[in-house]
Amino acid sequence: MRRPVVGVIGNAHRIEDRFTVQMVGERNLRAITDVAGAVPLMFAGSPEITDVGALLDVVDGVVLTGARANVHPTRFKCEPHISHEPYDIHRDEVALALSEACVARGIPLFGICRGLQEMNVAFGGSLHPEIRELPGRMNHRMPRLENGDIHPDPLVVFADRHDVTLTPGGVFAKLLGCETIRVNSLHGQGILEPGERVVIEGVAEDGTIEAIRIADAPGFALGVQWHAEYDPQRNPINKKLFEAFGAALRERQRAAA
């Protein structure tokens, strides 16, 4: 059997504030290759050049990665604000349609950070643009220096920062073999109201939703708020997640053979 192929959504980016490109973080690509045992295939987060149906005919699964841009508030009936930029409205369009299509067709779908948020919005849920502004919430954004610059040490940026309590007997608890995990935290936006089919499977100490699944999905359809692509070659939690995703890819292959 050939190695599974995983579609990885691209993010809009500008080089030197002039050249428009699509990009994917390399950690995502290596997690898919090294741990899920698949071949990553980046596709554009641009609806005018991405045919979702054609894409799903050639991949065995999809990863919706994290990204700097927030999901545009009009997608969940809120007003945009300059302080919550940047946005990536083209990726929004592709990712939301893709979330629904993957679930409908039983194609394994793994949402990470922004990907979890996209899955929630795709099924009718809402987001808060700055989760730390809600009463009782912690600052979930990445660590910075006193001058405001991002901390230069990735070991600090991606360090485990808070616990997540998993639903007893839920998909994540069974998959990870425990009911409490510790994860990194690098996000501003977060789930406010879960979508109609969105089942909460993990919650941070402050009540922030950290793990979800899509109810009645015929295939793997999980999302996590933390950056699971960080060091899954050694991090036991992230490793199990990508291994489970890889197993779902191969099961999908066998079913389609």
Side-chain angles (χ1 to χ4, degrees):
M1 185 181 293
R2 65 168 174 80
R3 291 180 73 189
V5 176
V6 173
V8 190
I9 196 166
N11 299 297
H13 185 66
R14 288 176 72 84
I15 296 176
E16 298 175 357
D17 203 29
R18 291 187 296 167
F19 306 109
T20 302
V21 301
Q22 293 272 321
M23 70 174 194
V24 170
E26 188 168 341
R27 292 184 191 277
N28 296 283
L29 305 178
R30 293 193 178 275
I32 290 166
T33 301
D34 296 348
V35 186
V39 176
L41 177 67
M42 194 198 93
F43 62 91
S46 304
E48 68 276 14
I49 58 174
T50 300
D51 183 322
V52 168
L55 172 69
L56 296 184
D57 285 341
V58 298
V59 300
D60 303 295
V62 169
V63 169
L64 299 175
T65 71
R68 182 166 178 263
N70 281 335
V71 177
H72 201 277
T74 55
R75 291 288 180 176
F76 42 93
K77 300 178 181 178
C78 289
E79 290 298 315
H81 191 278
I82 191 170
S83 66
H84 301 140
E85 294 178 357
Y87 300 121
D88 188 347
I89 60 174
H90 300 302
R91 169 168 164 163
D92 292 345
E93 186 169 342
V94 174
L96 300 190
L98 196 57
S99 295
E100 292 184 279
C102 281
V103 171
R105 293 175 56 166
I107 295 172
L109 174 66
F110 189 16
I112 297 173
C113 198
R114 189 189 209 264
L116 165 138
Q117 297 163 8
E118 290 165 333
M119 290 171 68
N120 185 58
V121 173
F123 288 92
S126 65
L127 306 173
H128 192 283
E130 193 62 69
I131 207 77
R132 63 182 172 176
E133 294 177 354
L134 294 174
R137 300 296 180 95
M138 67 180 74
N139 182 5
H140 285 262
R141 287 192 173 273
M142 69 173 66
R144 291 179 178 269
L145 300 174
E146 290 185 4
N147 64 4
D149 290 344
I150 295 171
H151 199 288
D153 188 348
L155 294 178
V156 174
V157 171
F158 289 96
D160 292 342
R161 292 175 56 203
H162 64 75
D163 288 346
V164 172
T165 300
L166 304 175
T167 301
V171 171
F172 279 86
K174 290 178 181 177
L175 193 158
L176 299 174
C178 58
E179 293 182 0
T180 303
I181 59 175
R182 194 159 180 84
V183 302
N184 58 46
S185 187
L186 295 88
H187 66 101
Q189 192 163 252
I191 291 178
L192 186 60
E193 295 292 337
E196 184 178 345
R197 293 177 60 185
V198 173
V199 179
I200 300 170
E201 287 261 346
V203 181
E205 303 160 29
D206 65 348
T208 298
I209 296 170
E210 293 278 340
I212 63 170
R213 66 176 171 88
I214 304 302
D216 302 319
F220 185 107
L222 304 181
V224 298
Q225 183 59 76
W226 67 91
H227 281 261
E229 81 280 6
Y230 178 70
D231 201 22
Q233 295 84 353
R234 284 169 289 275
N235 181 292
I237 299 301
N238 298 338
K239 182 176 183 180
K240 286 181 180 179
L241 289 171
F242 272 97
E243 286 176 341
F245 180 59
L249 298 172
R250 289 182 284 277
E251 182 178 341
R252 168 76 181 174
Q253 278 188 307
R254 286 190 290 269

